Amino acid sequence: MKKNSIKEDNLTQAIPEYPVKFWEIILIIMGALGLVGSAIIGLGSKVIKNMFTPTRAEAIAKSLFDYQIPGNAQGIVGVNFGAKKIAIINSQKNPPDITLFVSKAPIEQIKEEDSLNLDITLQEIYQGSFIATSTKIENQELCGKSVPVSIQAGKHLLGEASQPIDGIRYMAKITDNGVERKVNIITNGKNAQEKAAKVFHSLECRFES
């Protein structure tokens, strides 16, 4: 009995105590990769460590788009598995006044529920909630193509304890050769509209040669 107790204690100590939402993300990733059972624990820990490395998140973002964020910015989270890539970059203000989400995935993969859940979960946690009070659609240029851009005004909520801040959100996507790229920009505070437009117009697709 003592031996079994020691083994159980060692197993408990070997599992990192990540917040519940971290494990929610890992379960979604494992589902998308088709991994089950003990693979979730071993590979999950490694995935978490890599996901939250700022330089890696920035490298993933820059592999999808050239972008410019006024002031200093830092990679928050980056995911790269198979043909799917996701990155979130925030300004270094506290709280951030600019947050940029970019992703790339084959259209067929986007249809999978786990892939869609991962996008939504990461945006909710690391970009915050956005409650739109008005929406307009404008055709604007993205990566050399005219695409419909959803421009929303509303309230930006960063974390459960924060107060809503007036904000702007730009959402757009572009498809090329069976691959879809998505952009979600949220800005808040003074000159939010100007900041969102500046980041959006700085975007240029990076296509693999």
Side-chain angles (χ1 to χ4, degrees):
M1 292 296 292
K2 289 184 178 180
K3 289 183 178 180
N4 289 339
S5 177
I6 292 173
K7 287 181 179 180
E8 289 175 1
D9 289 342
N10 289 339
L11 178 60
T12 301
Q13 293 173 4
I15 301 175
E17 295 182 358
Y18 294 110
V20 174
K21 285 194 175 181
F22 281 169
W23 284 111
E24 180 182 344
I25 294 171
I26 294 307
L27 289 171
I28 293 171
I29 293 176
M30 295 304 107
L33 291 173
L35 298 174
V36 294
S38 60
I40 292 177
I41 296 175
L43 186 56
S45 299
K46 183 177 181 180
V47 169
I48 284 181
K49 181 179 179 181
N50 290 337
M51 280 175 60
F52 301 103
T53 302
T55 53
R56 185 173 185 272
E58 291 165 14
I60 292 173
K62 290 176 181 177
S63 74
L64 304 182
F65 290 92
D66 285 326
Y67 61 88
Q68 294 180 11
I69 293 179
N72 294 323
Q74 180 175 329
I76 302 301
V77 59
V79 177
N80 183 0
F81 59 89
K84 185 174 182 67
K85 295 183 179 182
I86 299 172
I88 295 177
I89 310 295
N90 285 358
S91 65
Q92 289 188 342
K93 289 187 177 181
N94 188 20
D97 63 339
I98 301 172
T99 175
L100 168 66
F101 167 94
V102 293
S103 70
K104 183 186 83 168
I107 294 175
E108 289 300 318
Q109 187 174 346
I110 292 171
K111 296 176 183 178
E112 298 175 7
E113 184 178 358
D114 286 324
S115 177
L116 181 60
N117 284 344
L118 180 59
D119 286 13
I120 295 172
T121 301
L122 289 175
Q123 288 180 64
E124 287 181 348
I125 296 174
Y126 299 105
Q127 280 198 299
S129 300
F130 190 88
I131 303 171
T133 55
S134 67
T135 302
K136 62 180 179 180
I137 305 296
E138 293 183 358
N139 286 328
Q140 297 194 22
E141 186 173 304
L142 178 63
C143 302
K145 293 184 178 181
S146 178
V147 299
V149 180
S150 175
I151 302 175
Q152 299 178 331
K155 297 292 184 180
H156 189 199
L157 185 62
L158 289 157
E160 296 178 358
S162 67
Q163 294 295 318
I165 310 171
D166 289 338
I168 297 291
R169 176 163 66 179
Y170 273 49
M171 294 184 293
K173 61 183 179 181
I174 184 170
T175 303
D176 184 76
N177 292 327
V179 175
E180 182 178 276
R181 296 168 190 256
K182 288 184 179 180
V183 174
N184 188 333
I185 302 164
I186 302 178
T187 60
N188 61 57
K190 187 177 180 180
N191 301 322
Q193 172 62 50
E194 180 182 337
K195 288 183 288 191
K198 187 171 184 178
V199 174
F200 182 82
H201 292 303
S202 75
L203 295 171
E204 290 291 343
C205 288
R206 297 288 298 272
F207 295 105
E208 297 177 359
S209 56

